[in-house]
Amino acid sequence: MDDRDQKSLNTLLSEQSPEQLQAIGQALAEAAAESHALLSEVMSSSSAGMEIPENADPFGMMDTYGRLGKSLATNPSALMTANLDLWMSWVNLWKDFTTGEIGTSGDKRFKDPEWSANPAFEFMRRAYELNAEWMLSLLNAADDLSDADRRKARFYMRQTVDALSPTNFFATNPSALKAMLETGGQSLVEGLRNARADMRKGRGKLAISQTDETSFEVGRNVATAPGKVVYRNRLIELLQFEPATEKVHARPLLIFPPWINKYYILDLSERNSMIRWLVSQGFTVFVVSWRSADEETRELTWDDYVSEGVMAALHEVTTRTGSSDVNTVGYCIGGTLLTSALAYMAQSEDRRIASATFFASQSDFSDAGDLMVFADETSRKTVGQVIEANNGIMPGELMGETFNWLRPVDLVWRYVVDNYMLGKKPRPFDLLYWNADQTNIPGKTHRTYLDAFYGENRLSRGEFSVLGKTVSMEDIDIPVTIQASREDHICPWHSIYRGAQRYGGDVNFILAGSGHIAGVINHPDAQKYQHWMNDTLPDTPEAWLADAEELKGSWWPSWMRWLKPIAGEMVTAKPVPDRGLGEAPGTYVKMRLKPIADGEKPSTDYAKPAKAAPKKTKSTSTAASKTASAKAKTSTASNAAKSKKPAASAKRKSGSRKNQGKSGRSTSSPSA
């Protein structure tokens, strides 16, 4: 609790001297001048580099409210019940005030004591809370809405409720009023200056700062794991990181992060870097760094991401290291891409990937959370117009805004209050710096993601085409680990679980605490959160969780107990070879949106693909793969027999939808 929370608003008002009041008046005049300057900049600025088609209702909010109103009109008894509940809530509120009963709130927005100690602010808070509860309850009365309309109505109703919080308005925010009195009005002036700076940063559009971006630099204090760029084409830079142990596992680990943000979520600071932790565990780690879309890459398609991303990286890793196969990781949309590539490879009898791990990655999009709001026909049409207006590119700024508005209280309104009402400067935070470092996406690739996955769920249904072949997830018979996070608002764990049941091989499902980022990036040394494991894969996620074991701390060590037995024998580590393409983190990751909009290009010194060794026959390749898999299972079964606990991976036969029973993996040594 800061100093302004220590004194009540009435106390601060009573302590104001004539000189202090005069200073506040002068500050208000200065604030008025800042307001006029801000307005002038807004009127004269244009959002260079990002065009948004004019549309009064681009994502169908008013249409959704219209459908909700129509539904309520057809159910008058339910609406009357809701209104009676509202009336009784107001009666109880007045009753509490007449009897002097003080209420408290668990909502962190109302942490200032004034919201409970001051009758005026307490009344505002409680009135807001009961009205908000009533508005959200109206959805229960609209019983004939489709699932899609109900989802959109709930989303927009929540957005409206959050926007109307009294904390979001200067005159009804006691913390903002206290700050004005304590600073002699300078908090107002500083807040408006912060708003002007954010407006300039957004090139005419308010780009709310969540952190002090000047405190970080890619390659200096984030993305610092030592390594080199070992391959570059027009879409990816392939990074290989220096070993940290004398011996390493023979089978390399190849990671495909999402391209909606940049790879260094896996390598923020040294204390929470997953990449550094993986090399410390004896892995040879390769990571794909995706290029932010520009004029050269704006026409790339999903198939291009498979061929020039997954296949190109896989070819380089296997050819350069001499390993016949690799273990892989796919994070978020990078995992969706990997799944589609694996299904294609299964049809082609390509066995170069021995296992796959998926971080917060969906493959079944039948109920993919709040992002479904932006995946209906109306929204997809709007996105198509945005892409067309931006010369075939989905602007990174718009993607960043979309994800922020999925959690508006934490990622939008909090900073409106702190930055603009309290006049605070955002504090340095590496995670929020990464969150603000957005990337452009080729429009065709993004449209495929929205249309084929979110809109039609074609991958899960076995109807998606990769490089000319219609593929099925059930053909993927390699062992997989699937991680989900219990509070993930972007990739809900129930949705990820449904996708887990589509794979044709052994599935090891892990549920982590926290959300889309903190649930994944949770270094064991932090000793935070928890995770759940279960050795079966029942039909429903609820059944899985009911029988799961809760374990303290990071899920990474549990993953290692699954991965190490299939990572190959230990061999002497070698330094990363210099391919003449520069040091990690490379050039693609350093490209930011404004320079791209201004025409700046990253390095175009592309590497020639490594010369492939003579191909083995299919039978030899398949036999080798089966032998390696058998060795891994034998080794794991031996370790499992020594453990007192049952297995934590779900054995599934190819093509089966039902769980095949418990496997022989223990928590100390999971099976392949």
Side-chain angles (χ1 to χ4, degrees):
M1 187 178 295
D2 58 27
D3 293 340
R4 71 177 59 93
D5 292 331
Q6 302 299 324
K7 291 184 178 181
S8 70
L9 185 59
N10 287 336
T11 299
L12 287 171
L13 281 169
S14 66
E15 292 177 348
Q16 297 300 304
S17 66
E19 293 78 13
Q20 289 172 315
L21 292 174
Q22 183 179 4
I24 290 175
Q26 292 173 343
L28 290 175
E30 188 177 355
E34 289 287 341
S35 297
H36 285 296
L38 176 61
L39 182 60
S40 297
E41 290 174 3
V42 171
M43 298 298 291
S44 62
S45 298
S46 62
S47 297
M50 182 177 70
E51 298 295 331
I52 303 175
E54 293 184 6
N55 189 332
D57 189 21
F59 293 105
M61 181 178 73
M62 298 310 299
D63 182 60
T64 300
Y65 277 149
R67 293 174 187 270
L68 175 61
K70 183 178 179 180
S71 177
L72 293 173
T74 61
N75 194 351
S77 60
L79 183 59
M80 183 177 295
T81 299
N83 286 332
L84 284 174
D85 289 342
L86 177 64
W87 170 251
M88 289 305 301
S89 296
W90 274 97
V91 169
N92 291 331
L93 176 60
W94 285 112
K95 179 182 176 181
D96 289 346
F97 269 81
T98 57
T99 59
E101 183 175 337
I102 298 176
T104 58
S105 175
D107 191 328
K108 59 187 176 183
R109 291 175 292 182
F110 302 108
K111 65 180 181 179
D112 191 310
E114 206 79 20
W115 290 109
S116 297
N118 186 310
F121 285 107
E122 184 191 0
F123 183 83
M124 278 189 284
R125 170 182 63 79
R126 296 185 64 181
Y128 164 75
E129 289 176 335
L130 69 88
N131 284 333
E133 183 178 355
W134 171 77
M135 287 182 68
L136 293 171
S137 74
L138 291 177
L139 291 170
N140 298 326
D143 56 5
D144 61 343
L145 286 177
S146 67
D147 290 342
D149 285 339
R150 185 176 299 277
R151 181 189 298 111
K152 292 192 77 167
R154 182 181 296 108
F155 177 82
Y156 287 129
M157 192 76 79
R158 184 78 260 176
Q159 295 285 326
T160 301
V161 165
D162 290 338
L164 292 176
S165 171
T167 55
N168 298 336
F169 303 92
F170 182 84
T172 56
N173 188 319
S175 296
L177 295 172
K178 288 179 185 180
M180 180 186 70
L181 295 174
E182 290 177 335
T183 64
Q186 287 303 306
S187 59
L188 272 176
V189 177
E190 292 301 320
L192 286 164
R193 287 173 178 167
N194 290 342
R196 288 183 66 189
D198 284 350
M199 190 66 69
R200 288 191 293 270
K201 183 179 75 170
R203 290 166 286 157
K205 192 173 185 296
L206 188 64
I208 301 173
S209 294
Q210 298 173 334
T211 185
D212 176 13
E213 296 182 22
T214 64
S215 297
F216 300 99
E217 182 183 346
V218 173
R220 179 175 63 85
N221 54 3
V222 292
T224 60
K228 291 182 175 63
V229 180
V230 294
Y231 176 74
R232 179 187 296 123
N233 63 22
R234 62 175 178 167
L235 178 61
I236 69 169
E237 286 183 329
L238 182 63
L239 312 177
Q240 181 181 354
F241 296 93
E242 295 290 352
T245 55
E246 292 185 0
K247 297 281 188 178
V248 294
H249 290 280
R251 184 172 282 155
L253 183 65
L254 172 58
I255 302 176
F256 298 97
W259 54 82
I260 291 174
N261 284 95
K262 296 180 179 177
Y263 89 86
Y264 65 90
I265 185 60
L266 302 168
D267 186 32
L268 289 172
S269 62
E270 291 189 26
R271 70 180 183 280
N272 64 357
S273 169
M274 176 180 275
I275 290 173
R276 288 179 181 269
W277 186 78
L278 286 169
V279 295
S280 76
Q281 299 296 306
F283 287 92
T284 299
V285 178
F286 292 83
V287 174
V288 165
S289 176
W290 303 99
R291 178 175 177 172
S292 185
D294 54 24
E295 290 182 357
E296 183 176 352
T297 61
R298 65 187 178 190
E299 295 295 327
L300 295 185
T301 65
W302 190 273
D303 277 353
D304 292 324
Y305 270 70
V306 172
S307 59
E308 298 184 39
V310 175
M311 296 303 181
L314 181 58
H315 172 80
E316 291 301 315
V317 172
T318 53
T319 306
R320 300 289 188 183
T321 64
S323 177
S324 61
D325 54 17
V326 304
N327 292 317
T328 56
V329 172
Y331 192 166
C332 192
I333 192 174
T336 309
L337 179 76
L338 178 60
T339 295
S340 70
L342 284 169
Y344 170 81
M345 293 172 68
Q347 278 201 21
S348 308
E349 297 187 34
D350 186 340
R351 309 294 296 187
R352 289 177 296 166
I353 293 181
S355 77
T357 299
F358 299 97
F359 300 164
S361 178
Q362 296 179 103
S363 54
D364 185 308
F365 291 79
S366 56
D367 187 15
D370 284 344
L371 279 175
M372 294 289 287
V373 170
F374 304 104
D376 65 359
E377 187 176 353
T378 299
S379 300
R380 297 203 307 271
K381 182 178 179 181
T382 297
V383 170
Q385 292 170 345
V386 169
I387 290 171
E388 184 178 354
N390 287 274
N391 298 316
I393 290 174
M394 182 64 190
E397 297 98 330
L398 226 54
M399 289 300 301
E401 287 181 12
T402 299
F403 286 113
N404 285 341
W405 282 105
L406 293 179
R407 292 176 57 197
V409 172
D410 294 326
L411 297 178
V412 178
W413 296 116
R414 169 188 173 184
Y415 297 101
V416 168
V417 172
D418 285 354
N419 298 2
Y420 309 146
M421 294 187 196
L422 303 181
K424 295 180 178 178
K425 294 289 186 183
R427 292 179 293 182
F429 187 13
D430 55 3
L431 177 59
L432 290 176
Y433 174 80
W434 167 85
N435 189 58
D437 191 7
Q438 296 118 2
T439 57
N440 296 327
I441 305 171
K444 292 180 179 179
T445 302
H446 194 64
R447 287 296 301 270
T448 297
Y449 191 45
L450 287 182
D451 294 343
F453 294 91
Y454 276 96
E456 301 171 9
N457 198 25
R458 290 170 60 189
L459 179 62
S460 177
R461 293 164 56 185
E463 299 172 356
F464 187 66
S465 176
V466 178
L467 299 174
K469 292 185 177 182
T470 301
V471 299
S472 171
M473 291 176 60
E474 292 184 353
D475 292 336
I476 303 172
D477 60 358
I478 61 173
V480 301
T481 280
I482 298 177
Q483 179 273 342
S485 299
R486 193 168 184 179
E487 298 169 28
D488 193 335
H489 64 290
I490 295 174
C491 298
W493 83 271
H494 288 70
S495 178
I496 294 175
Y497 188 86
R498 275 190 289 274
Q501 296 178 311
R502 302 289 185 180
Y503 293 91
D506 291 347
V507 176
N508 174 41
F509 191 83
I510 302 175
L511 181 64
S514 196
H516 191 69
I517 301 301
V520 176
I521 308 302
N522 181 20
H523 198 289
D525 290 351
Q527 300 181 353
K528 293 173 62 178
Y529 310 127
Q530 72 281 84
H531 62 284
W532 292 264
M533 298 189 71
N534 188 342
D535 60 340
T536 64
L537 202 69
D539 289 339
T540 67
E542 293 81 7
W544 183 93
L545 185 59
D547 195 37
E549 179 185 11
E550 181 176 346
L551 303 170
K552 291 183 179 180
S554 172
W555 63 278
W556 295 4
S558 294
W559 175 40
M560 280 301 101
R561 288 191 288 271
W562 176 88
L563 184 61
K564 285 194 172 186
I566 56 173
E569 62 182 352
M570 303 303 292
V571 298
T572 302
K574 298 178 181 179
V576 178
D578 187 352
R579 306 293 183 192
L581 299 172
E583 301 290 321
T587 62
Y588 287 177
V589 74
K590 294 181 179 180
M591 294 298 299
R592 295 181 70 89
L593 294 181
K594 188 176 185 302
I596 292 174
D598 293 339
E600 187 174 322
K601 294 288 191 299
S603 174
T604 55
D605 183 14
Y606 302 146
K608 292 182 179 180
K611 187 175 181 181
K615 282 188 175 182
K616 299 177 181 179
T617 64
K618 290 182 179 179
S619 58
T620 304
S621 176
T622 303
S625 176
K626 290 181 178 179
T627 300
S629 177
K631 286 182 178 179
K633 291 181 178 180
T634 302
S635 172
T636 307
S638 175
N639 290 333
K642 300 176 184 178
S643 172
K644 297 180 180 180
K645 293 192 64 59
S649 124
K651 176 72 176 178
R652 297 174 54 81
K653 293 181 180 179
S654 177
S656 174
R657 299 276 181 182
K658 295 182 180 180
N659 183 42
Q660 302 298 317
K662 298 183 179 182
S663 68
R665 183 183 64 76
S666 72
T667 54
S668 63
S669 184
S671 74

